[in-house]
Every structure is written in C-alpha cells, then in structure tokens.
Amino acid sequence: MSGSLFVALGAALATPEIGQKLALTAAVAADWQAGRLDWRDTTAVDLVCGRPARPELVPHRLVPQRGAKSLEGRARLLHAIVHIEFSAINLALDHAARFRGMPEQYYTDWIGVAVEEAYHFTLLRERLRSLGHDYGDFPAHAGLWEMAEKTSGDVLARMALVPRLLEARGLDATPPIQRKLEQAGDIESARLLDIVLRDEIGHVGLGDAWFRRLCSERNLEPESTYRRLLETFDAPWPQAPLNESARLEAGFSPAELAALMKKV
C-alpha cells in the first residue's frame, strides 16, 4: 500500500477540468488494481464535486425539449446524454469515496463503474463533436447530483435512489431515444447507445445488489423499503413505460415492477 484510496478518489472527484478528471479516474483504477491504495485508511477527505464552468446548469424545466429531426436537435439530445455520463463519473467516484467501512468489493465495483462511465462520456463526446458541437455548448441540469447530495448520509439510501432509481430511468429512456435517432437516420448515435445501455444494466445491477445486501444487514425487506425511500426523499416515482427486460436483468423482480406501476 502506498496511498489512501479516499484521498485519490477525492482528488479525481474534485478536479473541474475534464481531461484531468478522466486521467485521475484511470489512475485510481490502475493503482487500485495494482494494490497501491489502502481502503482501510482513515484520512479525512473533504469531498467536493468538480465540474467545468460549462455547461450552464439550470432547473430541469428550463432545459429545452430535444427533438432528433434537425442536426441541432440531435446535438442537444446527445449533449444531454453526454452530461449524464459526465455526472455519472462523479457519482461513481462519490459512491466509493463517501462511504467508509464497506467491503473491499464495494470499492472495486464503483471504481470500475467510474471507468466505464468515463468511456461512455468519451465515446459520446466524440460523436457530439462530429455533429459540430462539444460538451458545454448547451445548458444542462443537475438532477442526478442533487439526489447524491440528499443521500450523502446513508449508503443504503444512496444505492436505492441513485443507481436503482435515477440511473434505472436511463434504462427506460434509452430505447425510445434510439428509435428517435434511427428515424432521423442517425444510426451511428443509436448504436453507441447500445454500448451504454448494456453497461448501464450492469451499473443498475450493482446498485440493486448492494441495496439488497444492505437491507439484509439491517433486517429490512428491500422492495417495500425502496418504495418507502421514494416517498421519504420525495423522489420521482418510476414512470411507464418501463424497460422491463432491462430492469429484470438488473435485479428488479416482476412483483416489484408491478407494485411500482400501481402507483403511476
């Protein structure tokens, strides 16, 4: 061991510069795999989420609707997804950095997710650039990070309401977005989202697995606990149509999906 895992994660999380964040995320993963970072270290780290000056962050309702028929509309649509992927890098880093005393595998899982989110960000940013735009060109919202802040005090709530709720919404949203892009003739962008969807099923699945494990440790029934947390945190309820096959693959049960849909 040659350094603190949490200091390294905190540095990657805090940097606002995109290239440096990507490089530090890759370095954390390499050092972790090589056994150079101590996950039992007790060094205090003040966790701050670093973001570039652009895009401008605005309330969700002020982000314009994004059609796919025009080139600019497709660019705005891709930009929104690129922003989600950048946010997801920070979220995975924060999942690992914020919660001490978890099993070693927990840190392995979320460091791995951060690397995959960085890959998604890079892929989709390159595609956005091919359409004549770059990350930061359009406004975006901070809904994912706002939920991370709300759940910063409890890893169980974090697993429930970030990967298992907000990231699971991406499983539902991706196929309709792909159809929009295909109808507009943008097959390349649609196929890139195949990669994202495949990996995001795994990320939601990790959130589900850790949520269920934590519920078991606290003698809580997971599916009713999940619905209770949605209400306690005033979180957005899952909306139909659900991507049932993806959610089942990620760990949701048929009974749970039916119960969630009764609320709609």
Side-chain angles (χ1 to χ4, degrees):
M1 298 290 181
S2 62
S4 165
L5 172 63
F6 303 105
V7 170
L9 287 165
L13 179 65
T15 183
E17 202 280 315
I18 293 171
Q20 188 177 18
K21 189 179 295 286
L22 297 174
L24 289 176
T25 298
V28 169
D31 287 343
W32 177 249
Q33 283 190 323
R36 291 191 288 266
L37 295 173
D38 183 2
W39 59 286
R40 294 186 175 89
D41 181 77
T42 59
T43 303
V45 180
D46 184 18
L47 297 178
V48 177
C49 179
R51 300 186 191 88
R54 298 170 63 236
E56 177 190 5
L57 297 183
V58 300
H60 191 282
R61 67 182 182 279
L62 297 183
V63 178
Q65 291 295 310
R66 302 171 291 267
K69 292 182 180 178
S70 69
L71 181 62
E72 182 172 324
R74 290 196 297 280
R76 285 181 178 274
L77 184 58
L78 277 177
H79 185 275
I81 302 169
V82 170
H83 176 66
I84 288 170
E85 297 302 328
F86 184 81
S87 300
I89 300 169
N90 282 330
L91 287 167
L93 292 170
D94 192 81
H95 295 342
R98 187 164 300 279
F99 301 107
R100 306 284 182 105
M102 295 293 288
E104 185 176 8
Q105 186 62 43
Y106 174 87
Y107 304 108
T108 297
D109 286 347
W110 293 113
I111 291 167
V113 169
V115 170
E116 288 188 347
E117 302 291 16
Y119 172 61
H120 297 167
F121 171 82
T122 301
L123 271 184
L124 293 170
R125 187 188 190 191
E126 288 175 358
R127 179 60 183 157
L128 178 61
R129 284 171 163 172
S130 78
L131 300 182
H133 291 276
D134 198 0
Y135 181 50
D137 285 358
F138 305 107
H141 68 85
L144 281 168
W145 192 257
E146 288 166 3
M147 185 59 76
E149 291 176 335
K150 287 183 181 179
T151 57
S152 62
D154 184 4
V155 64
L156 185 148
R158 171 68 67 84
M159 293 294 101
L161 299 181
V162 177
R164 206 172 187 268
L165 174 65
L166 297 186
E167 294 188 58
R169 294 174 74 183
L171 306 183
D172 306 328
T174 299
I177 291 171
Q178 289 179 293
R179 288 193 290 272
K180 275 187 184 180
L181 291 168
E182 289 164 353
Q183 289 163 6
D186 191 347
I187 306 303
E188 185 172 347
S189 296
R191 295 291 68 82
L192 289 177
L193 292 182
D194 286 337
I195 298 169
V196 174
L197 180 59
R198 176 200 68 201
D199 292 343
E200 294 299 341
I201 290 171
H203 302 172
V204 176
L206 288 174
D208 175 81
W210 284 107
F211 171 69
R212 291 180 184 276
R213 175 169 174 168
L214 289 160
C215 283
S216 177
E217 290 173 359
R218 301 184 195 184
N219 295 313
L220 298 170
E221 194 287 314
E223 295 179 4
S224 60
T225 298
Y226 181 68
R227 294 192 294 275
R228 176 177 57 77
L229 287 168
L230 292 178
E231 294 178 346
T232 300
F233 283 83
D234 194 26
W237 207 270
Q239 297 295 306
L242 300 183
N243 186 343
E244 292 191 14
S245 62
R247 282 176 173 266
L248 290 170
E249 190 176 345
F252 287 80
S253 73
E256 181 176 18
L257 295 182
L260 290 171
M261 286 299 92
K262 283 181 183 177
K263 175 81 173 185
V264 176

